[in-house]
Amino acid sequence: TAHVIVCGNEKGGSGKSTTAVHLAIALLKMGHRVATVDLDGRQLSMTRYLENRRRWAAASGNQLEIPQHFHVPPVRRNSVGEAERSEFKALMEGLAEIEYRHDFIVIDTPGSDTYLNRLAHRICDTLVTPLNDSLVDFDVLARVDAVSNEVIEISQYAESVRDARRERRNADNAMLDWVVVRNRMAFINSRNETKVDACLRKLSAQLGFRISDGISERVIFREFFPVGLTALDELEDRVLGTRPTLSHLAARQEIRRLVQTLRLPIGED
Amino acid sequence: TAHVIVCGNEKGGSGKSTTAVHLAIALLKMGHRVATVDLDGRQLSMTRYLENRRRWAAASGNQLEIPQHFHVPPVRRNSVGEAERSEFKALMEGLAEIEYRHDFIVIDTPGSDTYLNRLAHRICDTLVTPLNDSLVDFDVLARVDAVSNEVIEISQYAESVRDARRERRNADNAMLDWVVVRNRMAFINSRNETKVDACLRKLSAQLGFRISDGISERVIFREFFPVGLTALDELEDRVLGTRPTLSHLAARQEIRRLVQTLRLPIGED
Ligand SMILES: Nc1ncnc2c1ncn2[C@@H]1O[C@H](COP(=O)(O)OP(=O)(O)OP(=O)(O)O)[C@@H](O)[C@H]1O
Ligand SMILES: Nc1ncnc2c1ncn2[C@@H]1O[C@H](COP(=O)(O)OP(=O)(O)OP(=O)(O)O)[C@@H](O)[C@H]1O
Ligand SMILES: [Mg+2]
Ligand SMILES: [Mg+2]
């Protein structure tokens, strides 16, 4: 069955949707069969990104790789148990539909602790956690001493991942591979960047995640959202009035390097 | 009673907590009595920021202005109605405790559509909505045509604000003042920045919000989270190993300019 990649982080705006879309398109361009699932049923960033892509492909006549996609719409019930059962059913039926016809399923999750979010973490093979180069973002993983960088206490998102991992191991002895990637990084090194780096390294041993090279802050990762294009696509276009740039090539390399770091079951180096 | 400022945006990571903390400290330093409320009961970014500030004040012996603060802890009930009643009670009792002894109440909200979030929008006098310089963030306000920038459709967060505004007007004839401020802006103007600016201006007329000058991406807005210090504070410190910088002064000016733009009931220019 498909290898499941979840983009997860309870911290809002860490780059989950951006990373999920770029990973999915990168894997498609490598020739794999990719499906995507949007569990942020209210915000639907990934869903809209792909809808924009579909619409642009039709409007421009360009052939664009598009993953098979579904989202789980928000469910409102008076009983929490009822809402969760309904969401569970929607997710499982959606997955059953795609898991044998694709190599990868990339799942985008919301920036909040929801039932679907916890469920996604229990079914993933690879968990990709982007986070801003910030101790505010870091705080959902762990609290650190302001001066020594020592880990004082594990925070709620790290505990969530630990719970999900344990349940998965007990269920089918599979090991969740957790990769943390810093996102929206400035080009200039700063005292803050050095501190976040040090704290992440200390924490990676304790929590059992690997650290990928960071992804830079690049307008190209978001500028083409309205037409559903990504850094992996050809962006030179008369309609859009765009030309190739070095930043574009660098952005593409950063996503490819992330794919490599994930050590996915692919026939590649 | 106190003038209520809510930092709201369903989009995660738009800068609500950062803006809320900086606004609260700025108002305190201007001599006003300020209380703060954290409605992101799971993530608690504002609460931790202020706890760190309290701890640093004690450890360093520095006098630091600290707002009276409370948060509403997450409530889990089997019945949604029960959970909401409990949250309503916690918020109203907390507010009753502070609303007559303070000039301003600054409320931080989560990056997701929760009952407490909708409630906060119904009681605010001033709504501050930060957003990243990005059409992905813009998407929770409205969908625009990729080429013409025309507004195709209003999105979920804008609808939420419209509902809250209407309810407030019907309740006590008060008008919610909505100010949108772009956050984490790059210093270099880009085609993307021009586009977001154009889209925001079109939308501001339609949705009835004012646009404040943007706040720049500055490490100083997040670097001192572990010691609870903000751009409004003196940051030169032997322990922290920091010296004054131009960015610090510029950051302070950006927050003060936002305060001015909010046209709060203050005896100031
Ligand atoms: N590497 C990057 N370079 C430039 N902009 C980026 C980058 N990564 C993300 N962004 C922008 O940062 C903002 C947050 O990113 P994104 O929406 O992907 O995060 P998220 O974790 O999915 O947020 P949420 O919690 O709301 O789901 C968006 O405006 C996005 O366009
Ligand atoms: N102007 C700024 N300059 C530099 N970093 C910033 C700025 N504003 C916010 N940040 C950083 O961006 C990230 C998101 O900001 P913040 O947590 O305040 O957003 P939020 O809207 O409260 O997020 P959430 O939806 O998770 O509650 C944090 O890492 C924060 O430190
Ligand atoms: Mg997202
Ligand atoms: Mg916040």
Side-chain angles (χ1 to χ4, degrees), chain A residues 13 38 72 84 107 114 128 163 184 215 222-223 228 233 251:
Chain A
D38 191 347
V72 179
E84 293 183 352
I107 305 181
T114 65
V128 180
D163 293 346
R184 302 193 68 181
I215 295 171
R222 63 179 189 247
E223 181 176 8
D233 295 300

Side-chain angles (χ1 to χ4, degrees), chain A residues 10-13 42-43 48 77-78 80 132-134 139 143 155-156 160 184 191 219 222-223, chain B residues 10-13 42-43 48 77-78 80 132-134 139 143 155-156 160 184 191 222-223:
Chain A
E10 263 185 65
K11 183 66 183 82
R42 165 96 176 165
Q43 193 166 289
R48 294 197 195 176
R77 301 279 190 283
N78 287 331
V80 167
N132 283 296
D133 187 27
S134 169
D139 204 59
R143 220 141 328 158
S155 301
Q156 70 275 21
S160 280
R184 302 193 68 181
R191 181 179 50 214
V219 171
R222 63 179 189 247
E223 181 176 8
Chain B
E10 263 185 64
K11 183 66 183 82
R42 165 99 176 164
Q43 191 166 294
R48 293 197 195 178
R77 299 280 188 283
N78 287 332
V80 166
N132 282 298
D133 188 26
S134 168
D139 205 59
R143 222 142 323 158
S155 303
Q156 70 273 23
S160 281
R184 302 193 68 181
R191 183 178 48 214
R222 63 179 190 246
E223 182 177 8

